[in-house]
Amino acid sequence: MAIRPLIFGILFIAVFVVIILSIIWVDTSHPVHQPDPLSPIVPGPATPGPVQ
């Protein structure tokens, strides 16, 4: 009986399905790049506030 090719075929299909599901699973509504918390902060424009 051809057990070994059957196992390899099932494993190949399973890996292919996992790759497809992982591509679909990635949510594109959120940005992938997160700001690095250790990076220096670039000073932006001063926000006007109450003068004390």
Side-chain angles (χ1 to χ4, degrees):
M1 292 190 346
I3 299 296
R4 188 178 296 167
L6 180 65
I7 293 173
F8 282 132
I10 291 173
L11 285 177
F12 178 77
I13 292 173
V15 168
F16 186 72
V17 169
V18 167
I19 290 172
I20 296 298
L21 289 177
S22 67
I23 291 172
I24 295 172
W25 185 264
V26 174
D27 188 8
T28 57
S29 64
H30 299 292
V32 176
H33 181 266
Q34 297 294 328
D36 188 8
L38 298 179
S39 65
I41 299 173
V42 178
T47 56
V51 179
Q52 294 181 357

